[in-house]
């Protein structure tokens, strides 16, 4: 009896995550990261405040094999703050691994391989939200009051408020 032929539902396409997973694993293992989740979910592992000031760079295993050293990259101003949090970071990272893989946390202000590769990525400060001037909002509503659709009227009023605010500044 002939077996039914398997037909693919993806029509020859593959998910990007599936294609990149072997490369991500190879690159992270070269730096000592056996668990890639530590890199991909760094903010979830250590918290947003720590993730904004520090980036994991390397995990090195000593000759004795008794625990590894996690190297974190930070800026000079943040290094003392991070130094005080080393024990908490070590505990959170070990919780990510599921066992006591990390015995030491080392903080560096440059990458161990040189200045070019290890730069700290700074996140932009959030923009302060400013409420538009009530006069500008009423002028924008007046320009769009003839529109019959509620959604379109609201969108045009918001657009008008933005345009009028930009023209003022």
């Amino acid at each position: 009896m002939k077996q039914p032929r398997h037909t693919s539902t993806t029509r020859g396409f593959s998910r990007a995550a599936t294609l990149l997973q072997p490369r991500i694993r190879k690159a992270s293992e070269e730096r000592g990261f056996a668990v890639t989740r530590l890199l991909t979910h760094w903010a979830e592992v250590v918290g947003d405040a720590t993730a904004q000031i520090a980036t994991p760079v390397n995990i090195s295993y000593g000759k004795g094999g008794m625990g590894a050293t996690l190297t974190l990259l930070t800026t000079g101003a943040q290094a003392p703050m991070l130094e005080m949090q080393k024990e908490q970071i070590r505990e959170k990272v070990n919780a990510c691994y599921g066992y006591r893989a990390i015995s030491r946390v080392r903080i560096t202000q440059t990458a161990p391989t040189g200045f070019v590769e290890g730069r700290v990525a700074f996140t932009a400060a959030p923009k302060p939200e400013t409420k538009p001037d009530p006069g500008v909002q009423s002028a924008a509503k007046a320009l769009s009051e003839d529109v019959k659709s509620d959604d379109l009227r609201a969108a045009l009023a918001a657009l008008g408020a933005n345009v009028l605010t930009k023209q003022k500044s």
Side-chain angles (χ1 to χ4, degrees), residues 55-67:
T55 304
V57 177
N58 192 5
I59 293 182
S60 57
Y61 298 91
K63 291 182 183 177
M66 298 301 290

Side-chain angles (χ1 to χ4, degrees), residues 81-156:
M81 295 299 292
L82 204 57
E83 185 72 33
M84 292 188 294
Q85 300 173 10
K86 280 169 58 169
E87 186 61 29
Q88 289 89 357
I89 292 170
R90 187 180 66 80
E91 288 174 7
K92 289 176 182 179
V93 170
N94 283 336
C96 173
Y97 273 88
Y99 65 99
R100 296 179 59 86
I102 305 297
S103 61
R104 290 170 301 283
V105 176
R106 192 180 105 203
I107 298 170
T108 183
Q109 296 172 22
T110 61
T113 55
F115 290 99
V116 177
E117 283 185 21
R119 292 192 179 153
V120 178
F122 294 101
T123 56
K127 292 182 179 179
E129 285 199 28
T130 56
K131 295 201 174 206
D133 183 24
V136 170
Q137 282 187 323
S138 62
K141 277 187 179 180
L143 290 173
S144 63
E145 65 186 12
D146 295 338
V147 178
K148 291 182 171 109
S149 170
D150 292 336
D151 293 336
L152 182 59
R153 186 179 326 108
L156 286 173

Side-chain angles (χ1 to χ4, degrees), residues 42 46 49-56 72-75 78 82 89 120:
W42 176 246
V46 296
T50 304
Q52 287 180 353
I53 64 172
T55 304
L72 298 177
L73 177 64
T74 189
T75 58
Q78 299 296 337
L82 204 57
I89 292 170
V120 178

Side-chain angles (χ1 to χ4, degrees), residues 16-37:
T18 307
L19 295 173
L20 293 176
Q21 188 62 33
R23 290 184 179 189
I24 292 170
R25 178 172 286 127
K26 182 177 183 260
S28 62
E29 285 175 353
E30 287 176 359
R31 291 188 177 234
F33 294 98
V35 178
T36 56
R37 184 175 183 272

